[in-house]
Amino acid sequence: MSASALPIQPTPPSPTQQQTAEARAAFTASLLSAGTSTVESDLKARAGDLHANTAAIDKQEQALLKETKNLGREGDKWQKVVDDSARGVKETGDVQNWAEMLERDLCVLEDTMAMVDEEAASVKKAGADGLANGRK
């Protein structure tokens, strides 16, 4: 074959700087949109989780406040029981003290009565001795 028989292929025109810049901008934009959609969807999912968690935390906070108030009421009830018990113990101590004082008073009274009985017996004996001596 001769050189004239070979088909001549036209050489493609060399891209201009403007075409190269446009192609680069389009490629960069497609990369950014692909990366942004993934990052954006991740961020949206995280934001959704945060909002859901915030609602759950708010609900838990309300439940905790309610239970704290209930616990406070229970504490007040127990404090009343403790106060009543302490009052009962004090009253028991007062009753015991009163009983001890009463016992001491009764012992004094008993001793006094014993002394009166002894005095009466000695007076009676002295009177009986005096009568017996006076008749002789």
Side-chain angles (χ1 to χ4, degrees):
M1 283 198 153
S2 67
S4 60
L6 287 174
I8 299 178
Q9 296 183 353
T11 55
S14 65
T16 63
Q17 285 183 345
Q18 182 180 357
Q19 289 173 334
T20 304
E22 287 173 0
R24 184 174 289 137
F27 180 71
T28 303
S30 70
L31 284 177
L32 284 176
S33 86
T36 300
S37 67
T38 304
V39 170
E40 186 177 333
S41 67
D42 286 345
L43 289 177
K44 284 183 181 179
R46 288 181 184 176
D49 289 344
L50 288 174
H51 286 291
N53 289 342
T54 299
I57 289 172
D58 289 342
K59 186 177 178 181
Q60 290 174 355
E61 181 182 14
Q62 294 303 317
L64 182 62
L65 288 172
K66 180 182 173 185
E67 290 302 317
T68 301
K69 287 179 184 177
N70 290 340
L71 184 60
R73 281 189 224 116
E74 281 295 314
D76 292 343
K77 288 178 186 176
W78 282 111
Q79 186 62 48
K80 185 179 182 304
V81 168
V82 167
D83 292 344
D84 290 346
S85 298
R87 193 174 310 111
V89 167
K90 183 178 183 283
E91 288 173 3
T92 301
D94 290 346
V95 168
Q96 182 178 355
N97 186 41
W98 174 78
E100 288 172 0
M101 289 174 51
L102 188 60
E103 184 181 8
R104 277 192 301 263
D105 290 346
L106 289 173
C107 285
V108 168
L109 187 59
E110 184 181 354
D111 290 344
T112 304
M113 291 304 292
M115 289 182 348
V116 167
D117 287 344
E118 286 176 13
E119 186 70 26
S122 70
V123 167
K124 191 175 181 182
K125 183 178 179 188
D129 286 344
L131 283 176
N133 287 339
R135 289 188 185 170
K136 287 186 181 180

